[in-house]
Amino acid sequence: MNASRSEPVKRFVDANALSTWLVDHDVDLTAYGKGQAKSVQQLWREVEDGETVFSVSGKAVTRCIDTLLVYIISSSNKVLQEEFQVMPNGTKRARAVPLAEKMKAGEAWKDAVIRAVKEELGSVLPIAPQVSIDESSYTVTVEHSYSQSYPNLDCKYTVHKVKATVNGLPETERFVTTEQRPDGTMENHWIWTSSIANRKSLVP
């Protein structure tokens, strides 16, 4: 590959092929699957689902994702924040972000808002929740950082931010939602707050 040019890498046969490729590109995988870090299998699944695309320049690898941040506003002008997650294995993971979701390849951001609400908050909502999107609040920026989920891997986030209201959410200060995953049930702990800190930690 031309080292001066960034090229996309999209598909791998399986997680082992991805692991070999990452090691060949000098990505240290020692911490993957330990503590709060996700596994190579989970990263491969993101690639298969169209949530992650790799860009390569020489041996430098960048994980490129489109991230959606939905600032859900309550009737009392509070903002919904995810305080922390409890993973299926019992590991507690701090979050302190609004509703956050990785967008799929080619997905329109407004469609992603509806999907995010249903997937992340659906366990406490009616089957067809009413979601009102404030399109005038929509912004998009590009940020570079490292993810705690995938150590030693540079990440490029195209960040889509928007405000919305969702009818049917609990009005209590704190509430818990659940999400079924292949490895068990994950708990998401939410709080209505007056503000959300500006953090670099955007997505899993």
Side-chain angles (χ1 to χ4, degrees), residues 1-16:
M1 281 185 187
N2 186 343
S4 65
R5 186 165 170 257
S6 182
E7 300 184 13
V9 178
K10 295 183 179 181
R11 302 298 293 271
F12 299 88
V13 174
D14 54 25
N16 288 333

Side-chain angles (χ1 to χ4, degrees), residues 132-147:
S132 298
I133 301 172
D134 179 3
E135 295 187 29
S136 66
S137 69
Y138 173 75
T139 62
V140 59
T141 57
V142 176
E143 302 175 9
H144 285 264
S145 69
Y146 285 90
S147 168

Side-chain angles (χ1 to χ4, degrees), residues 46-200:
E46 288 185 14
V47 176
E48 285 295 290
D49 290 344
E51 296 177 344
T52 286
V53 173
F54 291 112
S55 180
V56 180
S57 180
K59 277 209 164 188
V61 176
T62 300
R63 171 182 172 240
C64 303
I65 59 176
D66 277 67
T67 300
L68 175 69
L69 298 179
V70 185
Y71 293 79
I72 297 176
I73 311 299
S74 72
S75 58
S76 57
N77 210 33
K78 295 288 186 70
V79 182
L80 187 63
Q81 173 179 293
E82 186 178 20
E83 282 191 288
F84 61 91
Q85 297 172 332
V86 179
M87 311 306 285
N89 64 4
T91 301
K92 185 176 178 179
R93 185 174 182 223
R95 293 287 285 154
V97 293
L99 174 61
E101 185 69 28
K102 292 185 291 293
M103 294 172 61
K104 297 183 182 295
E107 185 176 30
W109 68 265
K110 285 189 279 189
D111 292 338
V113 170
I114 303 301
R115 180 175 63 82
V117 168
K118 290 180 177 180
E119 289 185 1
E120 303 297 324
L121 301 170
S123 65
V124 295
L125 287 173
I127 296 176
Q130 183 179 344
V131 181
S132 298
I133 301 172
D134 179 3
E135 295 187 29
S136 66
S137 69
Y138 173 75
T139 62
V140 59
T141 57
V142 176
E143 302 175 9
H144 285 264
S145 69
Y146 285 90
S147 168
Q148 63 179 338
S149 296
Y150 301 112
N152 311 309
L153 186 58
D154 180 47
C155 295
K156 175 187 174 183
Y157 298 105
T158 300
V159 185
H160 306 257
K161 299 180 181 180
V162 69
K163 295 178 181 178
T165 58
V166 179
N167 288 350
L169 285 172
E171 297 181 358
T172 53
E173 182 183 12
R174 287 178 167 85
F175 63 91
V176 179
T177 60
T178 57
E179 184 179 345
Q180 296 302 316
R181 293 160 45 121
D183 53 345
T185 301
M186 181 173 72
E187 291 183 358
N188 302 293
H189 291 250
W190 305 88
I191 183 173
W192 291 106
T193 182
S194 56
S195 63
I196 292 180
N198 184 17
R199 291 187 47 182
K200 284 285 189 179

